[in-house]
């Protein structure tokens, strides 16, 4: 479930557990797509910042240890997001459908 409206995950087409398992072309495509995701988030949601990160392996907190993915999470000043921590609840001020339309329209071509 998304941490916040606009939370995206970018992953390679081939199931790869670790960055070093990617080919040079897959690596380039992954990070180009992460860049495009950040551009689309900033353009569509007017967020103040974006957290970009990944957890490689179960010990790092990865939920899919056999398939790496990069989280792109839009952030706004003052979005403490404490509800996720104390109540295991997510607050999404914009519907997933609305966010999907907005991000797709702002995606670089």
């Amino acid at each position: 479930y998304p941490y916040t409206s606009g939370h995206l995950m970018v992953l390679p087409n081939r199931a790869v557990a670790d960055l070093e398992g990617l080919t040079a072309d897959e690596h380039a495509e992954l990070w180009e797509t992460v860049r495009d995701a950040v551009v689309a988030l900033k353009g569509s949601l007017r967020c103040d910042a974006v957290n970009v990160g990944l957890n490689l392996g179960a010990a790092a907190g990865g939920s899919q240890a056999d398939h790496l993915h990069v989280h792109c999470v839009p952030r706004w000043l003052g979005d403490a997001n404490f509800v996720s921590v104390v109540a295991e609840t997510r607050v999404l001020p914009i519907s997933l459908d609305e966010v999907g339309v907005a991000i797709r329209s702002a995606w670089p071509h």
Side-chain angles (χ1 to χ4, degrees), residues 38-95:
V38 169
V39 167
L41 288 172
K42 289 179 177 180
S44 63
L45 300 178
R46 295 190 258 316
C47 52
D48 298 312
V50 179
N51 287 124
V52 175
L54 37 87
N55 302 315
L56 298 173
S63 59
Q64 295 292 322
D66 63 335
H67 198 149
L68 71 86
H69 54 277
V70 181
H71 295 265
C72 299
V73 182
R75 301 299 304 269
W76 293 266
L77 293 173
D79 72 349
N81 210 9
F82 70 93
V83 176
S84 296
V85 176
V86 298
E88 295 185 24
T89 301
R90 304 287 191 253
V91 176
L92 300 177
I94 307 168
S95 77

Side-chain angles (χ1 to χ4, degrees), residues 3-26:
Y3 291 119
T4 189
S5 296
H7 176 189
L8 301 177
M9 290 192 291
V10 178
L11 57 154
N13 288 319
R14 185 172 61 93
V16 177
D18 298 299
L19 286 171
E20 62 271 22
L22 294 171
T23 66
D25 287 342
E26 289 170 330

